[in-house]
């Protein structure tokens, strides 16, 4: 069981690729594994979030998964359960979520976010995903921004994420 924190010093560079129609199936396969392994802590259905959850949207080829928990404190033991599925825990924003990557920071295929159900973060991530799914114009604008930022922040994941913030906030403010 590997519960060690993921290292940010050996992070893979940011690469945004064209949409892959296999992403929903990759999510579904992982969702089934997670629902079984995390069943004692889940407070609802596991969700596909992030850009790979939006048909046609270019993305980093990493399946983002958000699993609802009742609370972070109550779900602390889920860290070991996720680690048994080769997820590496990293205390990124530990006051908001339990965050993992798989199989390693250098070669990421999945991110797992254990988030309290009904929290602001839970609501915002689903609202943003659904807004993109519902608007090809919004999706095109976000795609252009992501491609630009992937070049600008190729070796700075935190910078890339923060630079998307104003766009995301603008979309959420209109909801």
């Amino acid at each position: 069981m590997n519960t060690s924190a993921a290292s940010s010093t050996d992070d893979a560079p940011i690469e945004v690729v064209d949409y892959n129609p296999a992403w929903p199936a990759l999510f579904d396969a992982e969702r089934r594994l997670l629902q079984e392994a995390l069943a004692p802590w889940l407070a609802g259905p596991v969700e596909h979030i992030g850009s790979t959850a939006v048909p046609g949207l270019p993305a980093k080829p990493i399946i983002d998964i958000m699993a609802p928990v009742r609370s972070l404190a109550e779900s602390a033991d889920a860290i070991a359960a996720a680690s048994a599925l080769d997820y590496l825990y990293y205390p990124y924003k530990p006051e908001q979520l339990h965050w993992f990557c798989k199989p390693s920071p250098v070669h990421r295929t999945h991110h797992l976010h254990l988030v309290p159900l009904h929290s602001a973060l839970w609501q915002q991530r689903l609202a943003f995903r659904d807004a993109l799914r519902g608007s090809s114009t919004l999706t095109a604008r976000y795609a252009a921004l992501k491609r630009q930022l992937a070049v600008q922040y190729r070796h700075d994941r935190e910078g890339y994420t923060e630079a998307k913030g104003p766009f995301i906030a603008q979309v959420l403010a209109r909801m």
Side-chain angles (χ1 to χ4, degrees):
M1 216 178 308
N2 189 348
T3 58
S4 63
S7 167
S8 61
T9 56
D10 294 324
D11 239 342
I14 294 172
E15 178 184 13
V16 172
V17 300
D18 289 339
Y19 180 78
N20 182 339
W23 287 337
L26 292 171
F27 161 74
D28 196 51
E30 200 69 14
R31 177 193 54 77
R32 287 193 300 271
L33 294 173
L34 289 166
Q35 282 186 178
E36 183 176 332
L38 301 178
W41 303 280
L42 292 178
V46 175
E47 296 281 351
H48 189 185
I49 61 166
S51 296
T52 61
V54 180
L57 182 61
K60 297 187 309 290
I62 301 166
I63 306 299
D64 274 295
I65 301 167
M66 188 169 65
V69 295
R70 285 176 289 288
S71 75
L72 296 177
E74 287 181 36
S75 62
D77 290 340
I79 293 170
S83 296
L85 295 176
D86 297 325
Y87 281 92
L88 297 175
Y89 173 71
Y90 186 79
Y92 174 73
K93 299 185 179 181
E95 69 286 350
Q96 293 184 321
L97 68 140
H98 298 308
W99 187 89
F100 307 80
C101 70
K102 178 181 181 176
S104 76
V106 175
H107 177 71
R108 299 172 186 216
T109 59
H110 297 77
H111 288 160
L112 173 61
H113 314 248
L114 301 184
V115 177
L117 183 64
H118 305 303
S119 67
L121 183 62
W122 178 267
Q123 307 277 346
Q124 290 165 356
R125 288 189 172 169
L126 293 180
F128 184 67
R129 177 202 65 191
D130 294 347
L132 291 173
R133 284 178 172 176
S135 171
S136 59
T137 301
L138 197 58
T139 299
R141 287 181 44 220
Y142 193 50
L145 176 65
K146 288 168 61 69
R147 289 196 187 275
Q148 172 204 336
L149 295 176
V151 172
Q152 185 177 351
Y153 293 98
R154 183 162 172 77
H155 297 285
D156 181 2
R157 283 185 178 273
E158 194 64 25
Y160 172 81
T161 299
E162 288 176 11
K164 293 186 302 180
F167 181 89
I168 294 167
Q170 179 184 44
V171 170
L172 292 173
R174 285 190 265 155
M175 302 187 84

